[in-house]
Amino acid sequence: MDLEKQEPSKLANACDDPKIKGNHSSSGDLIYHIPGGQYYEKTNPEEMFCTEEEAKEAGYRKSMR
C-alpha cells in the first residue's frame, strides 16, 4: 500500500502518539475531541489525529463541549 498517495489524516500513526479523537455522531456529523474535553474519555474514535488541522482537513469539526 502506498502511504504517500493517501490523505494525511488517513495515515496510520502519522505521529507517534495521536491524541485527537474523530467520531461520527448519530446524526452523521464528523466531530473531533481534544484531551480535556467533556466527552473525550467517553468517545470511541473512528479515526485518530495528531493535530486539529488534520481533523479539520478530514472534514471534522471541533466538539462544542
Side-chain angles (χ1 to χ4, degrees):
M1 180 159 85
D2 189 354
L3 295 179
E4 292 178 8
K5 292 184 180 180
Q6 290 186 6
E7 296 177 34
S9 63
K10 301 292 184 190
L11 294 176
N13 299 321
C15 62
D16 290 335
D17 191 21
K19 299 282 188 194
I20 298 171
K21 297 179 178 182
N23 182 264
H24 302 177
S25 74
S26 58
S27 64
D29 290 335
L30 302 178
I31 302 171
Y32 70 86
H33 301 268
I34 59 172
Q38 182 176 356
Y39 295 109
Y40 184 81
E41 293 300 324
K42 296 177 184 179
T43 299
N44 292 319
E46 275 95 13
E47 292 189 67
M48 294 293 293
F49 301 99
C50 297
T51 66
E52 288 188 61
E53 186 63 31
E54 284 181 357
K56 290 175 185 175
E57 287 176 3
Y60 287 76
R61 67 160 175 83
K62 188 174 185 177
S63 173
M64 294 182 211
R65 298 181 184 186

